[in-house]
Amino acid sequence: MEVNGCGVQLQGIVYIDSIFVLNLVMDLYLLLLTAKALGKTVSYLRIFAGSVMGAAGYCLILCVPGISYILKVLLGMIPVGGLMIKIACGTKGIKELLRAMGYLFTFSFFLGGFIIFLKGKIRILTEYGDSAAALAGMGFAGFALLQSLLKAYRKRSRNHFCKVRLLGDGGAVAFTALIDTGNALVDGDGQ
């Protein structure tokens, strides 16, 4: 960074153990949400293993010198995210993996935005919000909010389907059908 023609180099201390623990906790939240969105029943051991992989991968990528942050994200975080999901959720096929990564990155976006929002609106978090404990706490609040929104969405979408049983020449056929109000129906002659 240059200030008034003078070269100023900013230095700071990065505690890799704090970064690892914070990423581990956030990855736990994100993988739990992703598994719920996928409708997967996964063990906490798998979620924990995926979170350890994600935190370790982030720390390794962070330590690689001479690469811009954007390249670190593109070349590092996307494969690490995929590996996290593969370990935690055991996805099958590229389509399910890409869908899961979409959920993971969407939840990550909203969780990060929620933390930034809290840090800007709550005065004590403005001063002390960068501690690992405060960030983990804000992350948990965001996790709980996203989990309740996901639960409400699933409950609401389940109400759009019902079990239907039709009688025919070959006997009864049972299936699940979408409930439609018929609002878009028109007469056969187009009126």
Side-chain angles (χ1 to χ4, degrees):
M1 171 195 289
E2 206 168 291
V3 179
N4 293 333
C6 299
V8 176
Q9 184 176 359
L10 298 177
Q11 293 183 359
I13 298 172
V14 176
Y15 295 102
I16 201 77
D17 56 340
S18 295
I19 290 174
F20 178 83
V21 170
L22 185 59
N23 273 280
L24 176 74
V25 170
M26 294 301 172
D27 288 344
L28 284 168
Y29 299 150
L30 294 171
L31 287 174
L32 283 168
L33 288 168
T34 302
K36 282 192 183 295
L38 290 172
K40 296 242 181 213
T41 304
V42 295
S43 69
Y44 289 115
L45 183 61
R46 288 183 70 119
I47 294 285
F48 183 73
S51 299
V52 168
M53 174 61 220
Y58 181 79
C59 289
L60 285 173
I61 291 165
L62 188 64
C63 293
V64 174
I67 299 176
S68 71
Y69 183 73
I70 295 295
L71 280 177
K72 286 181 181 183
V73 169
L74 292 176
L75 301 177
M77 302 322 301
I78 292 173
V80 169
L83 192 54
M84 281 172 46
I85 291 168
K86 195 72 174 156
I87 291 169
C89 299
T91 56
K92 293 176 177 63
I94 190 75
K95 187 175 179 181
E96 187 179 32
L97 179 64
L98 290 174
R99 192 171 121 230
M101 287 178 71
Y103 285 135
L104 179 76
F105 293 133
T106 301
F107 290 135
S108 179
F109 174 79
F110 284 113
L111 192 59
F114 182 76
I115 289 170
I116 291 170
F117 172 78
L118 287 181
K119 284 176 63 174
K121 295 295 180 186
I122 300 175
R123 200 167 93 208
I124 194 162
L125 293 176
T126 303
E127 297 173 27
Y128 302 106
D130 288 334
S131 74
L135 289 170
M138 289 183 283
F140 180 75
F143 164 75
L145 176 67
L146 286 170
Q147 189 176 26
S148 65
L149 290 172
L150 186 60
K151 190 176 185 179
Y153 172 76
R154 288 208 173 238
K155 183 179 178 184
R156 192 172 138 217
S157 66
R158 270 194 300 260
N159 292 337
H160 295 298
F161 293 91
C162 65
K163 298 283 184 192
V164 177
R165 193 167 160 244
L166 294 177
L167 299 175
D169 294 337
V173 177
F175 55 92
T176 302
L178 176 67
I179 298 172
D180 186 6
T181 61
N183 287 342
L185 294 177
V186 293
D187 284 341
D189 59 358
Q191 296 177 355

